[in-house]
Amino acid sequence: MKNNLSIIKKSKYFLDKNECIGIPTETVYGLAANAYSDFATAKIFKLKRRPKKNPLIVHYASLQMLKKDCKINSNFLKLFKKFCPGPITLILKLKKNSKISKNVTNNKKTLAVRFPKKDITIKLLRSINYPLAAPSANISTKISPITKGDVKEEFGKKIKFILDGGRSEIGLESTIVSLINKPKILRLGGIEISKIKKTLGSKIEYSPKDKNIASPGQGKVHYSPGIRIRLNIKIPKKDEAFILIKKRKNYGKNYFYLTKNENLKEAAKNLYKTLRMIKKKNFKSIAVEKIPDKSFGQAINDRLNRASKFQ
Ligand code: AMP
Ligand code: MG
């Protein structure tokens, strides 16, 4: 407990000085900075080598703080009450007098907001008087980190501090829902479409192609371990890593199970961890068994499809 207090204090110290730090969330680790500061948020883009046109998600601990920056609506309140804090990002209209840095929104009039669930991160957010802009703590196009060690691997000494909150429980990015006009899913993630639909009580479109914004992770290659990936494979090549979701009778040293009984939530949780492990073992190619395109399988397939664009 005392220990937690001192690492929260340390995090606050660096954030107040406009530094970027690693923070844990239940989805993936973030690279966080004061969302009101042009100087601090510019550092995020530089460290991640992220295109400026790709806006950042801003993290809050209270509705009161959020209301300073955004206009809320009834769909927002429905989703907020049901899923927050949790793995969902909501796009809202920015208020005219909001202090959010223009770097965060790429000068747009909308803002992506999220209420992360990790206790230690909520405590940190409560200890500061600004929200945190925090994209995933990886170099652009690479695999998202789910432990402190993963963040260290990405940025080494380039960042001053990483707040350790243990492993990210969800292990996959948040679901992004735009609430600007008709609710629209922009990215699949930690909450299934069916649950969001049920809560809103209306049909919801999944439309990742937003002409106005390079969202979400619309760069052709994304979530990539930097290794060639082949999808829907029954039998892998001899020297290929093989990612599976169903237990097989035979055993191969190159077999990597995301789950052994097609539990797609468990598979999502293990995806990035497994890709990192395969990379460390120096495999030159990855084969993935067919993953059902339902529930969390949709989000997994989304990430794998983008990762497979790496040649
Ligand atoms: P990450 O870099 O993993 O944090 O992903 C954040 C995603 O949220 C990116 O793909 C952004 O393009 C998307 N995003 C952030 N702000 C907005 C916004 N105002 N409208 C639509 N998408 C957004
Ligand atoms: Mg990312």
Side-chain angles (χ1 to χ4, degrees):
M1 185 58 199
K2 200 170 154 215
N3 224 351
N4 273 357
L5 248 177
S6 69
I7 54 177
I8 291 171
K9 266 195 181 154
K10 205 163 170 184
S11 304
K12 175 174 158 48
Y13 170 82
F14 286 117
L15 290 169
D16 283 349
K17 287 185 134 212
N18 280 331
E19 293 288 351
C20 292
I21 64 163
I23 59 160
T25 85
E26 79 283 19
T27 57
V28 302
Y29 270 64
L31 185 64
N34 178 352
Y36 291 158
S37 158
D38 291 339
F39 184 79
T41 51
K43 279 189 185 167
I44 295 182
F45 287 89
K46 192 154 178 242
L47 280 163
K48 271 183 68 87
R49 292 183 234 141
R50 181 176 174 109
K52 289 209 171 69
K53 63 176 199 251
N54 198 359
L56 307 176
I57 296 175
V58 175
H59 296 64
Y60 291 87
S62 79
L63 200 51
Q64 201 190 349
M65 277 285 276
L66 174 108
K67 282 181 180 167
K68 290 185 186 172
D69 297 321
C70 294
K71 295 181 194 159
I72 61 169
N73 56 40
S74 60
N75 282 328
F76 169 83
L77 284 173
K78 283 185 198 165
L79 295 173
F80 174 79
K81 280 184 191 145
K82 179 80 182 167
F83 300 114
C84 297
I88 188 166
T89 294
L90 303 165
I91 314 276
L92 292 172
K93 282 191 183 140
L94 202 58
K95 276 191 175 165
K96 274 215 177 77
N97 59 352
S98 152
K99 286 195 279 183
I100 293 288
S101 162
K102 300 239 175 330
N103 295 334
V104 168
T105 56
N106 184 29
N107 272 314
K108 296 255 180 321
K109 296 192 167 44
T110 59
L111 186 68
V113 302
R114 191 164 109 69
F115 294 80
K117 201 170 183 178
K118 284 253 183 215
D119 279 349
I120 198 161
T121 303
I122 294 175
K123 281 187 187 132
L124 171 63
L125 282 164
R126 286 198 180 128
S127 77
I128 52 184
N129 54 9
Y130 44 85
L132 290 177
S136 50
N138 52 282
I139 307 289
S140 267
T141 80
K142 298 288 191 297
I143 315 171
S144 300
I146 55 158
T147 64
K148 178 182 171 182
D150 293 347
V151 182
K152 223 175 191 168
E153 262 175 41
E154 287 297 306
F155 295 109
K157 293 210 169 78
K158 288 195 186 133
I159 55 176
K160 296 259 158 54
F161 188 66
I162 306 166
L163 178 61
D164 193 353
R167 185 173 162 186
S168 297
E169 294 83 0
I170 305 284
L172 195 75
E173 291 82 356
S174 57
T175 303
I176 303 184
V177 189
S178 170
L179 299 173
I180 299 299
N181 295 311
K182 262 204 308 195
K184 204 159 69 173
I185 304 231
L186 300 182
R187 174 174 76 186
L188 301 168
I191 292 180
E192 297 144 288
I193 297 183
S194 58
K195 287 206 174 133
I196 293 170
K197 202 169 128 188
K198 203 169 151 200
T199 303
L200 289 175
S202 60
K203 256 178 62 185
I204 185 159
E205 190 187 330
Y206 168 47
S207 126
K209 296 250 150 60
D210 183 331
K211 280 194 266 41
N212 299 317
I213 272 180
S215 164
Q218 266 185 28
K220 266 199 226 114
V221 184
H222 213 89
Y223 313 110
S224 166
I227 305 172
R228 220 164 71 82
I229 297 185
R230 305 189 305 128
L231 304 176
N232 304 321
I233 303 296
K234 286 197 177 120
I235 302 164
K237 292 179 189 157
K238 221 172 101 233
D239 297 327
E240 210 170 26
F242 192 25
I243 293 184
L244 302 132
I245 57 163
K246 255 182 296 187
K247 190 159 169 34
R248 303 240 170 160
K249 279 200 201 95
N250 51 342
Y251 163 82
K253 263 207 286 197
N254 56 337
Y255 283 19
F256 297 87
Y257 285 101
L258 298 180
T259 166
K260 287 192 172 163
N261 55 3
E262 289 186 89
N263 176 337
L264 294 173
K265 190 168 186 185
E266 181 184 42
K269 175 174 177 163
N270 287 325
L271 179 66
Y272 292 148
K273 183 183 116 177
T274 305
L275 290 174
R276 265 178 204 274
M277 196 173 2
I278 290 171
K279 188 176 170 70
K280 277 186 195 147
K281 290 186 190 278
N282 273 322
F283 282 94
K284 299 287 178 275
S285 166
I286 303 173
V288 186
E289 132 169 280
K290 187 172 171 63
I291 295 173
D293 210 33
K294 58 174 193 199
S295 161
F296 291 101
Q298 281 187 299
I300 298 174
N301 284 330
D302 169 65
R303 305 305 191 268
L304 286 172
N305 271 319
R306 289 172 207 252
S308 73
K309 299 286 186 303
F310 176 88
Q311 288 302 334

